[in-house]
Amino acid sequence: MAGVWVFKDGIVRRVENPGSEESSSAGNGGGGGRRKVLVHVPSGEVVASYEVLERRLRELGWERYLTDPCLLQFHQRSTVHLISVPRDFSKFKLVHMYDIVVKTRNVFEVRDAAAPAVSPAT
């Protein structure tokens, strides 16, 4: 079965031609055409490289696995979670961002790139 599953407005559907209509978004794999960024909520820092991501994940107790030449993988000993992202940051897509958000609740958010940064509460 070919195609891509698209999640929009709480509804999931399969799209046969993933290059058309709303199923693609400015290189980030979905989301209505706006570029998205991953933001570290406590600091308000945009994750613009894997160095930033790895530093923030290490602060949370995540460890890097060095087993796959195509992927960067992070594991947290206290959970069964594994975060896998492509080694090439230019291939870091929306699905990878949301995977990180789900596995690190309340620490990261996905935002529109044009949205102003929200300062952490002091």
Side-chain angles (χ1 to χ4, degrees), residues 48-100:
S49 69
Y50 283 145
E51 290 79 20
V52 173
L53 178 62
E54 184 169 0
R55 179 171 37 91
R56 294 302 183 181
L57 288 175
R58 281 184 188 270
E59 291 171 1
L60 298 170
W62 291 81
E63 300 172 353
R64 187 161 161 199
Y65 278 172
L66 302 171
T67 57
D68 192 319
C70 298
L71 297 172
L72 295 179
Q73 295 181 313
F74 300 92
H75 177 259
Q76 194 173 38
R77 288 181 188 244
S78 61
T79 70
V80 296
H81 296 306
L82 182 67
I83 294 173
S84 297
V85 294
R87 190 168 288 277
D88 181 356
F89 191 76
S90 67
K91 295 179 181 173
F92 184 61
K93 304 292 182 194
L94 194 58
V95 68
H96 304 114
M97 294 180 198
Y98 279 115
D99 184 44
I100 294 166

Side-chain angles (χ1 to χ4, degrees), residues 13-26:
R13 64 186 175 96
R14 193 170 57 87
V15 177
E16 288 295 329
N17 186 0
S20 67
E21 50 182 74
E22 74 276 352
S23 63
S24 67
S25 114

